[in-house]
Amino acid sequence: MTELTKQQLSQLVQSFYTKVQHDPLLAPIFNEVAQVDWAQHLPLLTEFWSNVMLGGNGYRGGAYAKHMMLSQKAVITKAHFDRWLSLFTIEAKAMLPEPHASVIIERAHLIAKSLQFGMNIES
């Protein structure tokens, strides 16, 4: 099995979030409500997924708390999570070798469930 690299995760993050930025359902949440500074945020997202997949402690962004605050500013529904997971799954399968794609998709689902639970959204 080939070892997963931070470079592969960075490429996944870049590709995936480019699609998110233009997605009719997700873009308004990210671009208008959260007003994400993508140049600053993409390296943080790369660190987050690197921690999830490779271990380490380079990410210090407080993702859970930020998502909970975001849910106070916008109506976020199961449809948002379903769309995010669908796009993520497509990109992960296209960009990562197996079994890494399956592992990151599984972890994305677990993270989504945790966020949905915190936001009182039925999963």
Side-chain angles (χ1 to χ4, degrees):
M1 171 170 81
T2 348
E3 197 166 315
L4 184 64
T5 67
K6 189 171 182 175
Q7 179 63 30
Q8 288 172 303
L9 292 169
S10 177
Q11 290 170 342
L12 170 60
V13 165
Q14 294 284 333
S15 178
F16 169 65
Y17 280 102
T18 295
K19 288 180 175 49
V20 166
Q21 290 174 61
H22 298 96
D23 184 79
L25 181 62
L26 299 176
I29 299 294
F30 284 85
N31 297 331
E32 296 163 25
V33 179
Q35 298 180 345
V36 173
D37 176 346
W38 290 104
Q40 182 182 34
H41 200 56
L42 289 172
L44 290 174
L45 291 165
T46 298
E47 282 302 318
F48 173 81
W49 285 107
S50 292
N51 283 6
V52 168
M53 293 299 292
L54 305 174
N57 58 4
Y59 176 77
R60 301 230 189 284
Y64 187 83
K66 288 179 182 177
H67 284 85
M68 293 309 109
M69 288 188 303
L70 182 61
S71 73
Q72 302 301 311
K73 297 179 183 179
V75 176
I76 299 174
T77 66
K78 184 176 182 316
H80 291 101
F81 281 93
D82 290 347
R83 180 65 180 154
W84 190 96
L85 286 166
S86 174
L87 289 175
F88 191 84
T89 298
I90 291 166
E91 287 303 298
K93 286 182 177 181
M95 300 198 70
L96 299 180
E98 281 296 338
H100 302 299
S102 292
V103 172
I104 200 169
I105 291 164
E106 179 183 326
R107 291 181 183 173
H109 278 267
L110 292 172
I111 291 165
K113 280 187 177 215
S114 173
L115 292 173
Q116 286 176 290
F117 180 79
M119 293 178 183
N120 287 325
I121 299 170
E122 278 194 42
S123 58

